[in-house]
């Protein structure tokens, strides 16, 4: 029976602030799995790191119970089938699964999705054709309800979700103002076709950013991935009947999840402008993945939509890759290549 060297990152300590390698333990073992009916053995090739992982590490429940300590860190994975006891999959097939930070996993065939590398790069299953794409598409189109000619502001616009929201809004005929945290990111966003790319770090206060947004005509749709100063500025810059979509609040994840900062402080602006605010989660639209892919895959094939990745090499670098999300290191989707 063939043996495999299994490596796993276990989540072992709950962070009070910035998550890092000290909150994980790398464990290695040798496995020789026997597959039950409809089980397959996967070998991970690409593993996702995402900001939501830090939300799951809060001490208090959010959309679910906190991530349990002393378990493998959960994550989406692109893998190949090593062995199969299922009629649906054979050795060598590319698949996606939520099998976590481990090099190998035995999963039931119903828990994985087949990938066709002839349709798109398999890594897109972790990005534009996966959870970030689903979040961006349905969050913008169903909660944001953008109309051609409107101004859409996106915070975290160079990230995995934000960069897709930006492009989807442009495709919808909207004028996009992108907020990002470096000149490099702003330059890339300008190449995507945004009307304005603003480096929020160049503004000393929310008031200054608010004034600039008002100079640019105010905000009809705000897609928020960041919170904090960005959101303070935008909520003061809303146009009549604006829509605010809360997708993420990454500025609050380092230490304010269990003891949040006071705020938001500008709800009166929602009253004055008769605006709406809605939170969205990718899981609410999982059953509609085929619908999303039918919209986006043709754009991806023709190059009308860009899928940018920051690829980190080495399974051992998973915790540091996650930490890097909160240092603004990635442009587009952060992915760890296992080997």
């Amino acid at each position: 029976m063939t043996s495999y060297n299994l490596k796993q990152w276990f989540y072992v300590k709950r962070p009070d602030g910035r998550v890092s390698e000290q909150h994980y333990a790398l464990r290695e073992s040798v496995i020789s799995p026997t597959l039950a009916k409809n089980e397959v053995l996967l070998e991970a090739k690409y593993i996702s790191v995402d900001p939501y992982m830090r939300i799951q590490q809060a001490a208090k429940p959010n959309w679910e119970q906190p991530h349990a300590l002393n378990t493998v860190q959960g994550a989406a994975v692109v893998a190949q089938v090593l062995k199969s006891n299922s009629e649906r999959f054979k050795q060598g097939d590319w698949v996606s699964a939520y099998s976590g930070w481990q090099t190998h996993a035995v999963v039931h065939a119903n828990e994985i999705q087949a990938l066709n590398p002839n349709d798109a790069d398999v890594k897109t299953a972790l990005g534009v054709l996966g959870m970030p794409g689903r979040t961006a598409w349905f969050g913008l189109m169903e909660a944001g309800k953008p109309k051609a000619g409107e101004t859409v502001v996106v915070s975290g616009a160079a990230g995995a979700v934000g960069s897709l929201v930006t492009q989807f809004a442009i495709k919808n005929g909207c004028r996009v103002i992108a907020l990002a945290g470096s000149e490099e990111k702003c330059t890339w966003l300008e190449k995507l076709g945004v009307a304005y790319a603003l480096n929020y770090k160049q503004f000393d206060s929310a008031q200054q950013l608010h004034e600039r947004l008002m100079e640019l005509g105010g905000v009809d749709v705000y897609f928020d991935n960041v919170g904090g100063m960005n959101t303070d500025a935008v909520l003061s810059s809303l146009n009549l009947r604006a829509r605010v979509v809360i997708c993420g609040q990454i500025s609050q994840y380092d230490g304010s999840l269990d003891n949040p900062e006071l705020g938001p402080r500008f709800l009166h602006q929602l009253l004055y402008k008769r605006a709406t605010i809605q939170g969205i989660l990718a899981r609410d639209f999982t059953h509609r993945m085929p619908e999303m892919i039918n919209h986006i895959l043709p754009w991806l094939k023709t190059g009308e939509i860009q899928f940018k990745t920051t690829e980190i090499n080495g399974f051992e670098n998973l915790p540091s890759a996650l930490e890097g999300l909160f240092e603004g290191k990635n442009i587009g989707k952060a992915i760890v290549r296992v080997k």
Side-chain angles (χ1 to χ4, degrees), residues 4 6 31-44 77-99 102-114:
Y4 303 92
L6 170 65
I31 59 170
S32 301
T34 299
L35 302 181
K37 180 66 174 176
N38 290 320
E39 286 187 334
V40 296
L41 173 64
L42 303 181
E43 181 179 31
V77 171
V78 166
Q80 279 189 292
V81 175
L82 283 181
K83 294 173 60 178
S84 174
N85 196 12
S86 165
E87 295 180 354
R88 292 167 50 197
F89 298 97
K90 65 182 184 302
Q91 183 179 4
D93 283 351
W94 285 96
V95 300
S96 62
Y98 195 81
S99 52
Q102 53 188 342
T103 56
H104 301 79
V106 174
V107 299
H108 193 279
N110 290 340
E111 298 175 356
I112 58 179
Q113 294 77 45

Side-chain angles (χ1 to χ4, degrees), residues 12-26:
V12 296
K13 180 182 178 183
R14 201 173 303 285
D16 294 323
R18 178 68 52 84
V19 64
S20 67
E21 189 168 336
Q22 67 174 310
H23 302 104
Y24 292 94
L26 179 60

Side-chain angles (χ1 to χ4, degrees), residues 260-280:
E261 295 178 4
L262 181 65
R265 293 164 291 282
F266 298 98
L267 290 180
H268 57 287
Q269 297 292 345
L270 300 179
L271 167 64
Y272 303 157
K273 300 301 170 63
R274 280 80 90 199
T276 59
I277 185 168
Q278 180 178 339
I280 58 103

Side-chain angles (χ1 to χ4, degrees), residues 203-332:
F203 295 85
D204 293 332
S205 66
Q207 179 63 25
Q208 283 189 2
L209 180 55
H210 155 67
E211 291 171 359
R212 179 60 176 145
L213 291 172
M214 293 305 296
E215 289 174 0
L216 298 177
V219 181
D220 298 305
V221 179
Y222 177 40
F223 197 101
D224 186 18
N225 296 295
V226 175
M229 188 271 277
N230 286 283
T231 299
D232 287 352
V234 176
L235 290 186
S236 296
S237 309
L238 299 177
N239 293 330
L240 189 65
R241 306 199 189 285
R243 285 82 69 201
V244 176
V245 183
I246 304 298
C247 174
Q249 299 282 282
I250 196 170
S251 67
Q252 307 300 302
Y253 295 171
D254 273 350
S256 301
L257 285 170
D258 295 314
N259 297 291
E261 295 178 4
L262 181 65
R265 293 164 291 282
F266 298 98
L267 290 180
H268 57 287
Q269 297 292 345
L270 300 179
L271 167 64
Y272 303 157
K273 300 301 170 63
R274 280 80 90 199
T276 59
I277 185 168
Q278 180 178 339
I280 58 103
L281 285 178
R283 62 182 53 200
D284 294 337
F285 303 100
T286 302
H287 63 292
R288 296 175 63 184
M289 282 292 287
E291 176 186 342
M292 184 268 293
I293 290 174
N294 286 340
H295 277 287
I296 297 170
L297 184 57
W299 293 339
L300 192 63
K301 287 183 173 181
T302 59
E304 296 174 72
I305 292 290
Q306 290 190 31
F307 170 57
K308 194 174 185 67
T309 62
T310 296
E311 203 166 300
I312 301 96
N313 286 315
F315 180 82
E316 68 279 4
N317 292 317
L318 276 162
S320 60
L322 178 59
E323 183 179 8
L325 295 181
F326 303 96
E327 298 172 353
K329 291 183 177 180
N330 66 296
I331 297 180

Side-chain angles (χ1 to χ4, degrees), residues 36-54:
K37 180 66 174 176
N38 290 320
E39 286 187 334
V40 296
L41 173 64
L42 303 181
E43 181 179 31
K45 299 297 185 180
Y46 302 98
I47 300 179
S48 185
V49 291
D50 299 281
Y52 76 80
M53 295 174 178
R54 182 62 184 85

